[in-house]
């Protein structure tokens, strides 16, 4: 199939308005939210913007006939290169499938299309006393489809769980164009749980075209505590003891002094400027239960050496305390023009030594690293500050990343808590997974997508798929379709 | 791997107003701006988003895209320049100045067909470069509305023939004679502060009643108002259209006109003008004679709501029994980040109920002259806005910018609503017992 024929057939499916194919149109689909240097940009062969499951299915069948890769894309806010068409092919942009199809207040579920924006789903059901619990930092912009692909988390996933805990069923267009619903396993009818397999599969198993999601009741009472500490070590010990004592805060976040220096002058959230670290701890639930847990958590913080403690019960006070945390990444602009962050996860008990290691890595590479992270589940977010205009800065950042990941893995950590592997961390997969582990993953991938058509070159490193000879073939196809590597 | 356009790229940035490279590269393409962008919300396509447009601007700078590629022109001008993206950008990208510079590049380098040049001169540069011309036009229009010619002409279809029906339908009933700069002032018995009113071209003519209401409201608050005589149009529409030299000319005239004591606050009743005046410092940064003066001028500029909310309002004396909803002008909420002040003022009006609409900070589609040159996109946004306004069941929608005012009025009408539109100052004026204007009967 030549390029002209491909475009004509795509147009027949999605209409003239639903396809982008000129070089200038493709330029803006070269990137996602990933950091330059950590993820290479790449242009697709064409971009389509379908409006229905049927259109998605027809596109996928056509891609199979044309033997082209398929990459699904939501808002393109991902941080690991998941929405970049590394091997060219067709980007299926789901931004026009953005309807909330049904809200069932009795069952507390919503049936949504993949392009619905995370926060707007919550906003739409707030008056009914409900919300969609996964709350990644990008929740104002990112879509449910993207959340499913990356199994996104957020500050509140400590108590409420990550995306997979909030998905009841998915409508998926499989790589052969067939449409299936994965609902049955969740309904308790038995069978294999395909929902669990698809959530977090980073677009490698198919394209989600509808999601049945769980809505969570807004808790009756919420208290946010701010505890300041004289050392990172004290703060880390407080984290460990809070969880070890059997508490389950809605969220448990840590910010170090460098972060406080960036945030407090900008937002006046009331964080003590001289604290080595602050913990932001949110407790929610029944008012009596919350009061009890606040008391216990405060006692544990004091025991760990907290230098000051504050708590906020009203929405306005809580919002102010949270604002500093939520705007922390934005405020980094006050310290440096760019940052690169990883989201490795370490066991909570290893937090103190890991934070020391991070400091050592910063010193070694002469970098500033700010720590602002989901301490409750050991999910680090070391923000490496740099200025990409300075020669050598990007390289130093990548070297420091390398050290950081190795150190986290050494203490029993994992590569990513919520940002996904994509192409960004694909090269590190062999650090944490054995050959057999990776072959098992590759086997699952091949069961869904024997042609290796969906989001090629993501997650599973080279050498584990039996279809890898095909990649050369795909490359040849791209050239045939008029995309010339620079 | 990247799309190779290099062979085709013949034109890059050159000359004046090249988009600042450091500003451009501040964008790390995180995508947080996407949901705030009206054109992205309507199209769902990346090129119509702030991030996409910045990437295109970068691509031109990198020699990967031709400045004169028609799609580049299309995207730079499809943008409403509402700057909602700027207000949410974690990296603090100054999007407004960048898109304006890109437009200036297009105007300098892109040969435009004769009819487009004529239309720009006639439609933009002619009326908006001299307030006297605007005044003459509006006086004519006022007469035209008064003698009932409007209804008569509409019936004949002549307007459609000369393609002026959009413009004609937007025009609200002009209530008062133009306010001529230098001819009127307000001097309360007790004077705590003195301000210079920026009169504006549309505000001093079509909405002269609002500027007069401003004088009265300020007088009730013991503030004396002067209207410096030689001031002209602010030049915002020129900046938005890439006509930087014309804009700079107007800026210099205004800086001279407001030289006065050099410290009095310059009070503005149009959000669009205010945003432009606050950026004179940037506009004239390379002019050795005016750079410093421009920066000082910009430092004096305040929106009328910003100024009043910062003072302790003298308690209004009259109840205004109505429920209003507030539409945030983009150039107030996003470009000037004035969000709380208008609401604070409305909350001080006795008897007034405020109800918030959905998406109050999403552009209504006015965007200067956008609703005239890109009617379809503007109408889609206007319809969306009208739906959100009507859903509040308010008696009246309040705003603070003439473009939004006219667009709201037209959009509501098109969607079958007779809800009146008023400037926030009109509500305050009524609360101080000023002339009661804009009741449903006279302003619908």
């Amino acid at each position: 199939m030549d390029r002209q024929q491909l475009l004509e057939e795509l147009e027949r499916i999605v209409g003239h308005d639903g396809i982008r194919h000129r070089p200038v149109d493709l330029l803006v689909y070269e990137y996602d939210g990933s950091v330059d240097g950590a993820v290479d940009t790449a242009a697709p062969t064409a971009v389509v913007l379908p409006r229905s499951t049927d259109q998605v299915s027809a596109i996928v069948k056509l891609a199979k006939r044309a033997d082209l890769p398929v990459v699904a894309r939501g808002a393109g806010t991902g941080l690991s290169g998941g929405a970049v068409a590394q091997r060219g092919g067709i980007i299926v942009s789901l931004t026009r499938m953005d309807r909330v199809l049904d809200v069932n207040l009795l069952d507390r579920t919503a049936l949504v299309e993949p392009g619905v924006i995370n926060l707007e789903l919550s906003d739409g059901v707030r008056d009914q006393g409900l919300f969609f619990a996964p709350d990644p930092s990008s929740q104002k912009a990112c879509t449910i489809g993207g959340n499913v692909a990356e199994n996104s988390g957020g500050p509140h996933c400590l108590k409420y769980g990550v995306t997979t805990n909030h998905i009841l069923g998915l409508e998926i267009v499989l790589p052969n164009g067939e449409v299936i619903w994965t609902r049955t396993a969740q309904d308790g009818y038995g069978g294999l749980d395909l929902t669990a397999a698809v959530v977090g599969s980073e677009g490698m198993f198919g394209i989600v075209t509808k999601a049945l999601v769980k809505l969570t009741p807004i808790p009756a009472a919420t208290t946010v505590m701010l505890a300041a500490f004289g050392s990172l070590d004290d703060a880390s010990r407080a984290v460990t003891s809070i969880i070890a004592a059997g508490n389950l805060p809605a969220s448990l976040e840590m910010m170090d002094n460098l972060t406080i220096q960036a945030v407090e002058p900008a937002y006046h959230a009331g964080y003590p400027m001289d604290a080595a670290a602050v913990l932001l701890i949110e407790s929610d639930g029944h008012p009596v239960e919350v009061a009890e847990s606040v008391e216990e958590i405060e006692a544990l913080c004091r025991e760990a050496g907290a230098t000051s403690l504050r708590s906020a019960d009203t929405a306005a006070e809580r919002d102010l305390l949270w604002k500093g945390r939520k705007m922390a990444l934005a405020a980094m602009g006050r310290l440096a023009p760019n940052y690169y962050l990883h989201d490795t996860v370490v066991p909570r008990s290893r937090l103190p030594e890991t934070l020391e290691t991070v400091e050592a890595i910063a010193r070694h590479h002469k970098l500033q690293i700010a720590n602002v992270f989901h301490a409750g589940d050991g999910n680090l977010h070391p923000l490496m500050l740099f200025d990409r205009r300075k020669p050598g800065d990007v390289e130093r950042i990548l070297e420091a990343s390398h050290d950081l990941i190795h150190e986290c893995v050494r203490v029993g950590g994992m590569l990513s808590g919520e940002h996904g592997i994509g192409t960004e961390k694909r090269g590190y997969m062999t650090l944490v997974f054995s050959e057999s582990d990776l072959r098992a993953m590759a086997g699952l991938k091949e069961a869904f997508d024997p042609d290796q058509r969906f989001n090629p070159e993501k997650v599973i490193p080279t050498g584990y798929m039996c279809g890898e000879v095909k990649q050369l073939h795909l490359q040849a196809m791209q050239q045939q379709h008029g995309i010339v590597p620079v | 791997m990247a799309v190779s356009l290099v062979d085709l790229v013949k034109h890059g940035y050159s000359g004046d107003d090249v988009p600042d490279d450091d500003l451009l590269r501040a964008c790390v393409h995180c995508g947080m701006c996407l949901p705030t962008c009206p054109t992205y919300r309507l199209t769902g396509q990346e090129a119509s988003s702030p991030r996409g447009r910045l990437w295109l601007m970068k691509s031109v700078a990198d020699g990967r895209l031709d400045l004169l590629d028609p799609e580049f022109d299309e995207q730079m001008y499809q943008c409403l320049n509402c700057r909602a993206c700027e207000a949410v950008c974690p990296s603090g990208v100054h999007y407004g100045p960048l898109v304006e510079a890109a437009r200036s590049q297009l105007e300098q380098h892109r040969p435009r067909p004769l009819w487009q040049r004529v239309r720009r001169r006639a439609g933009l540069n002619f009326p908006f470069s001299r307030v006297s011309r605007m005044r003459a036009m509006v006086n004519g229009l006022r007469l035209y509305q008064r003698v009932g010619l409007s209804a008569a002409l509409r019936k004949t279809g002549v307007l459609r023939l000369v393609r002026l029906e959009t413009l004609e339908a937007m025009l609200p009933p002009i209530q008062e004679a133009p306010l001529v700069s230098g001819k009127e002032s307000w001097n309360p018995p007790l004077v705590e502060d003195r301000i210079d009113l920026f009169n504006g071209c549309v505000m001093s003519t079509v909405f002269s009643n609002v500027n007069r209401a401003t004088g009265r409201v300020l007088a009730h608050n013991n503030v004396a108002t002067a209207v410096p005589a030689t001031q002209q149009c602010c030049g915002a529409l020129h900046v938005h259209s890439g006509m930087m030299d014309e804009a700079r000319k107007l800026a210099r005239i205004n800086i001279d006109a407001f030289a006065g004591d050099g410290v009095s606050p310059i009070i503005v009743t149009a959000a669009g003008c205010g945003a432009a005046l606050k950026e004179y410092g940037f506009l004239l940064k390379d002019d050795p004679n005016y750079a410093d003066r421009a920066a000082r001028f910009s430092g004096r500029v305040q929106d009328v709501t910003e100024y009043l909310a910062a003072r302790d309002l003298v308690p209004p004396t009259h109840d205004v029994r109505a429920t209003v909803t507030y539409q945030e002008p983009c150039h107030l909420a996003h470009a000037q980040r004035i969000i709380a002040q208008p609401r604070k003022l409305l909350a001080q009006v006795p008897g007034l109920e405020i109800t918030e609409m959905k998406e109050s900070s999403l552009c209504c589609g006015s965007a200067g002259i956008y609703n005239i040159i890109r009617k379809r996109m503007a109408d889609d946004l206007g319809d969306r806005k009208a739906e959100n306004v009507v859903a509040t069941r308010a008696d009246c929608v309040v705003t603070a910018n003439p473009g939004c005012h006219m667009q709201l009025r037209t959009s509501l009408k098109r969607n079958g609503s007779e809800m009146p539109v008023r400037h926030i100052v009109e509500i305050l004026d009524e609360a101080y017992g000023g002339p009661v204007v804009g009741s449903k009967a006279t302003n619908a």
Side-chain angles (χ1 to χ4, degrees), chain A residues 20 22-23 27-34 36 41-43 49 73 75-77 95-96 120 140-141 330 338 388-389 484-486, chain B residues 1-5 22 25 27-32 34-35 40-41 43-47 51-52 55-56 59 64-65 69 71 90:
Chain A
R20 300 286 177 274
R22 296 171 301 175
L27 271 176
V28 294
Y29 288 95
E30 290 182 323
Y31 53 80
D32 62 5
S34 313
D36 294 332
T41 56
L49 300 110
R73 181 181 171 102
T77 53
T95 50
R96 289 180 179 174
E120 292 183 2
K140 276 184 181 168
N338 305 98
R388 112 181 87 181
R389 293 165 301 185
V484 187
V486 173
Chain B
M1 186 180 65
V3 181
S4 175
L5 291 169
D22 278 350
R25 308 217 178 251
C27 172
V28 296
H29 47 87
C30 68
M32 293 304 285
L34 300 188
Y40 176 77
R41 290 313 287 255
T43 63
Q45 61 166 355
E46 185 73 22
R51 174 173 71 172
W55 192 264
L56 293 178
S59 299
R64 300 179 62 211
L65 175 65
D69 189 297
E71 177 68 7

Side-chain angles (χ1 to χ4, degrees), chain B residues 48 67 80 87 114 171 179 213-214 229 259-260 363 382 403:
Chain B
S48 297
L67 173 66
L80 297 137
L114 182 67
L171 202 68
L179 169 54
T214 302
C363 182

Side-chain angles (χ1 to χ4, degrees), chain B residues 47-63:
Chain B
S48 297
S49 76
R51 174 173 71 172
R53 292 185 180 119
L54 286 164
W55 192 264
L56 293 178
M57 290 182 219
K58 272 193 265 190
S59 299
V60 173
D62 292 342

Side-chain angles (χ1 to χ4, degrees), chain A residues 19-229:
Chain A
I19 175 164
R20 300 286 177 274
H21 59 82
R22 296 171 301 175
V24 57
D25 302 326
L26 304 179
L27 271 176
V28 294
Y29 288 95
E30 290 182 323
Y31 53 80
D32 62 5
S34 313
V35 170
D36 294 332
V39 168
D40 290 337
T41 56
T45 312
V47 179
V48 283
L49 300 110
R51 291 185 187 275
S52 68
T53 303
D54 286 348
Q55 288 184 355
V56 174
S57 167
I59 293 161
V60 169
K61 284 176 185 158
L62 176 61
K64 188 173 165 66
R65 273 202 293 133
D67 202 7
L68 279 170
V70 174
V71 178
R73 181 181 171 102
T77 53
L79 295 170
S80 53
V84 178
Q86 240 71 32
R87 288 264 149 200
I90 300 170
I91 283 189
V92 182
S93 166
L94 296 149
T95 50
R96 289 180 179 174
M97 292 176 67
D98 63 348
R99 291 172 302 168
V100 174
L101 299 169
D102 184 39
V103 174
N104 185 328
L105 295 177
L106 290 177
D107 292 343
R108 292 206 295 256
T109 60
L111 180 65
V112 303
E113 291 186 320
V116 169
I117 293 172
N118 175 303
L119 188 62
E120 292 183 2
L121 173 58
S122 284
D123 284 346
V125 294
R126 183 156 299 127
D127 287 349
Q128 280 79 46
L130 299 170
F131 72 114
F132 180 62
D135 59 342
S137 298
S138 57
Q139 71 178 145
K140 276 184 181 168
C142 65
T143 61
I144 301 296
N147 294 166
V148 169
E150 302 296 326
N151 193 13
S152 306
H156 288 85
C157 67
L158 177 60
K159 176 174 177 178
Y160 292 100
V162 290
T163 301
T164 194
N165 304 107
H166 300 271
I167 301 296
L168 298 170
L170 296 168
E171 182 189 79
I172 304 166
V173 175
L174 294 173
N176 63 8
E178 274 182 288
V179 181
I180 61 162
W181 256 104
T182 64
R183 197 170 169 187
T184 47
Q186 289 279 351
D187 279 347
Y189 289 105
L192 296 181
D193 189 350
L194 294 180
T195 309
V198 170
V199 179
S201 64
E202 302 198 21
M204 299 201 306
F205 292 176
I207 296 178
V208 170
T209 44
K210 283 188 192 80
L212 183 69
V213 307
K214 197 192 284 181
L215 300 172
T216 304
I218 297 172
T222 304
T223 297
V224 177
M225 288 159 271
L226 180 80
F229 293 86

Side-chain angles (χ1 to χ4, degrees), chain B residues 234 236-237 240 268-277 303 329 331-332 336 400-402:
Chain B
C234 65
L237 296 179
H240 299 167
V268 193
T269 52
C273 304
L277 297 171
D303 186 75
H331 281 189
L332 202 58
Q336 300 185 58
N401 187 54

